[in-house]
Amino acid sequence: MKIAVFVSGGGTNLQAIIDNIASGYLAGVEISLVVASNGNAYALTRAKDHDIPSTVLSVKDFASRDEWDQTVLDTVKKSGAELIVLAGYLSLLGEKTVKAYSNRIINIHPALIPSFCGAGMYGIKPHKAALARGVKVSGATVHYVNENYDEGPIILQKSVEVLPGDTPEILQQRIMKECEQVILPKAIRLIADGKVTIENNIACVKE
Ligand code: GAR
């Protein structure tokens, strides 16, 4: 199964996918393209280091959002990707892409949806909000993507305890390592194996 991985920043989730392909856990999965929302994303260096084709498609470089959306869609289709993986991608995909890849786009979110999600809740912000609310567990969620931020069917979630002394940065690192980098490759494995179905807007996972 070919996948296109969309990134905006450091690319630790992209790296986890690359490592799981190398280890054989994601045997049969190939990253056909990495799409970055900006040219400064370190994830692009990771793609280059592993000879993975990459491109930068930033909405601000296009005359309209619609034109950008169409280019994203054409580029992903051309790569042969059957699944789009948003791995730390901080933009909202365009309508055409979401429609064309309906139920074939997944996202990793650094909180237990429906907590600390939605527009503006990205990067370090969910962790700041979680600590400010005093939650005792937090974690990450892999979900299908629809036209709204963080609202599609939930595929997998994993939690960690919030510990005394946690700062947003410490919590973020624990969640990235113990949750995100585990459940994102796992969700890709499950989808590649045809073990995820959607019924009535609920994702059913048969492990
Ligand atoms: C990750 O924590 C990811 O969950 C989050 O951005 C970070 C990217 O890290 N995504 C979101 O906040 C999406 N709403 P990475 O570039 O090192 O994978």
Side-chain angles (χ1 to χ4, degrees), residues 6-15 41-43 46 86-91 107-111 116-118 120-127 139-141 143 149-150 172 175-176 180-181 184:
F6 281 49
V7 296
S8 295
T12 56
N13 280 291
L14 169 66
Q15 190 67 51
Y42 182 69
R46 298 184 193 265
L86 307 185
Y89 184 68
L90 304 183
S91 306
N107 177 50
I108 179 83
H109 181 73
F116 315 120
C117 63
M121 272 294 174
Y122 59 85
I124 196 74
K125 292 180 187 176
H127 307 296
T141 303
H143 63 93
Y149 274 113
D150 304 328
Q172 179 184 43
I175 288 174
M176 281 175 143
E180 298 184 32
Q181 291 164 23
L184 186 57

Side-chain angles (χ1 to χ4, degrees), residues 14 18 34 42-54:
L14 169 66
I18 293 170
V34 167
Y42 182 69
L44 288 166
T45 305
R46 298 184 193 265
K48 197 164 168 243
D49 287 350
H50 292 86
D51 295 322
I52 299 167
S54 65

